[in-house]
Amino acid sequence: MKPCGMVLGSREAGALDFWVAVEEGQYLRLDDLVYVEFQHPDPLKGQVRYYGMVDQVLKLYEGSQFDTDVFLANRQLLPISLSYAAHVKVTRLDPEEYLPPDPGCPVYVARERDLEMALYYDKMTSEGQSTRLPAGILKNGEVAYLNLEFLNGVKGGHVNISGISGVATKTSYATFLLYSLFESGVMKDSLNAKALVFNVKGEDLFFLDKPNKGLKAEDRDKYTALGLPAGPFRSVAFRAPPKPTPGDVVPDVESRKGGVLPFYWDLVQFCKGGLLPYLFTDRGSMTNLGFLIDQVTERLRKLAADQRGPALQVEDWQDQQSLDDAGVTFDSLGKMRLSSFGQLVRYIEFKLLGPEGGEEDEKRPKGDPRWTARQATGTLEAFVRRLRASVQNVEFLIRGDKKGNPPDPLAAQEQVSVVGINRLSAQAQMFVVGSILREVFEKKSAGRPGAVFIVLDELNKYAPREDESPIKDILLDIAERGRSLGVILIGAQQTASEVERRVVGNAAIRVVGRLDAAEAERPEYRFMPASFRDRAVILPQGTMIVQQPELPVPLPLNFPYPAWATKASEQNLEAEISTEALERDLGL
């Protein structure tokens, strides 16, 4: 193989980085992988091979002193030589003898076996089986791999993706990773694995099971190179909240007409599951309010402990006027029957503030002491105000007229569960995300087999750096203990600097798309060398910078255009009909 250049002698060469003089007629680009060999001073140790990635390239005229000399050189009036140099960041030494290479050593472009050594692909094995997970395409056309063991929880877990909304393609890359996990055949127990995807923007993710008519031949070639089929997700369940209108429960989805089921909780499930805290996003701002939330949650849990059905039965609501105003009914045994979230809120208000509410100048509340947790009237009223304000946001999600049907991705027959929250208010989104994540985490803590991958965008809203909330507590639990339980978070956000440090810091795989220039200078991106931070500001769509533990440098790559539709207009209905006809003819 012809060398592409030699180790420079006019610049310092170190054990961790060196400069290369590029041979005339050859070229090196950013991200190219190279290797160089040099003889160890101890003859018994043989050759030391350095593998590295080009992170800087420069050209200049040698023999030129002034800026205007370039014009003279162009007219061949000044004797000059063109210098073409590349800086190489060492990724691996074999053997690990930290000595600088000699100037003049030939440098070669790393391909095939040498490229695998440079990127530690040869280390991506477990019990004789490959753990190479296709993650994209390198600039030289070779496949980029992640070590599955740093994603599935064996050696590490979790993925964090940062980038500007609409440009960084964060959700697209997250779904591509899911597709690679389920379709590459690298994950041994992929059939038992589940995925929970929260659709937070538009209705794009409601078409994961539809082929994309915009897929071109070159995109299909990329899927072939990656060892993946170019098609949609094969096993997807879609859930959406019901429309906030009286009558039949209909999923609130516009672009997809069929195949979507509504989700909601009934009052008994709400109380038994202890879901009240997920209606409060500012729990940490008032310590006394936090104590009261815990107390009321526990009282509701005890109240619903032995009850069945969607409605909640109570016996101790004694204020007749409140009964009439709330529209409370009675069952055949004469017990009061709460059949809406609004009625439950009125009942809680009665238990906390008494039949006539709190008296203005009275510090001792008139409510049930078993419920009030000895809190002052001001705290009780603050709690009731927040609870009243939540009625219009979540009443259609917490019902007493129908048996609850909440999302349960671990029990679903389908492998991927898409839960739409894009049409919900901010408070309702927080409630849905917190309630589902808690259920998943509790089931996994109880020993439910199989890994579950959770895709959640806008992490800065659910796990903010400054504020405290029950949802943030669950995400911290997942980030810190989830990988040992098989709960893997694939989180995304525009600005990692606004997300709780422990959530971002526990991600073994860090991915960056296009960044805002100010955001790129934040400490959260110091895992990238300065040249990569500069490039992150101008990255095109479909290009990501990926950092994984085994590699000392980030890996720039691009990933193919989604083979699944990302919106209603991209559905390839003809291909879908052809597939259905083929399966019918084959008797599948």
Side-chain angles (χ1 to χ4, degrees), residues 217-237:
E218 53 265 32
D219 299 314
R220 296 183 183 278
D221 292 340
K222 289 182 179 180
Y223 280 100
T224 301
L226 291 165
L228 300 172
F233 285 77
R234 294 185 290 178
S235 179
V236 192

Side-chain angles (χ1 to χ4, degrees), residues 59-179:
K59 284 185 178 182
L60 60 84
Y61 277 149
E62 294 177 330
S64 171
Q65 292 182 315
F66 306 104
D67 294 342
T68 54
D69 284 350
V70 67
F71 301 108
L72 298 175
N74 190 52
R75 294 198 296 269
Q76 298 183 350
L77 299 177
L78 186 70
I80 52 90
S81 298
L82 178 64
S83 169
Y84 183 179
H87 182 258
V88 176
K89 185 74 173 177
V90 174
T91 60
R92 186 175 183 179
L93 294 89
D94 184 28
E96 288 192 19
E97 294 285 335
Y98 289 92
L99 297 167
D102 289 336
C105 288
V107 179
Y108 301 89
V109 175
R111 294 188 176 91
E112 298 176 352
R113 174 63 179 170
D114 296 313
L115 184 140
E116 292 184 2
M117 292 289 291
L119 297 179
Y120 289 84
Y121 290 169
D122 61 311
K123 299 291 186 181
M124 296 182 182
T125 59
S126 176
E127 299 178 356
Q129 298 292 322
S130 172
T131 58
R132 299 183 189 181
L133 180 72
I137 303 291
L138 298 173
K139 182 177 292 185
N140 60 9
E142 299 283 348
V143 177
Y145 294 101
L146 296 176
N147 190 339
L148 177 65
E149 292 191 317
F150 286 101
L151 183 56
N152 64 2
V154 174
K155 294 181 178 178
H158 313 307
V159 180
N160 186 265
I161 308 174
S162 301
I164 298 173
S165 179
V167 180
T169 57
K170 302 185 297 294
T171 304
S172 296
Y173 191 66
T175 52
F176 171 77
L177 282 182
L178 276 187
Y179 188 75

Side-chain angles (χ1 to χ4, degrees), residues 51 77 81 103 174 188-189 192 238 285 293 314 331 371 411 431 460 552:
Y51 299 93
L77 299 177
S81 298
K188 295 179 182 178
D189 57 345
N192 294 324
F238 299 97
S285 63
I293 292 171
V314 297
D331 64 10
W371 288 67
F431 171 75
N460 53 298

Side-chain angles (χ1 to χ4, degrees), residues 4-5 18 20 27-29 31-36 49-54 86-92 107-111 114-115 118:
C4 62
F18 55 87
V20 176
Y27 66 89
L28 283 177
R29 306 164 295 183
D31 312 329
D32 279 344
L33 293 155
V34 299
Y35 70 93
V36 58
R49 179 171 285 199
Y50 298 80
Y51 299 93
M53 177 181 288
V54 176
H87 182 258
V88 176
K89 185 74 173 177
V90 174
T91 60
R92 186 175 183 179
V107 179
Y108 301 89
V109 175
R111 294 188 176 91
D114 296 313
L115 184 140

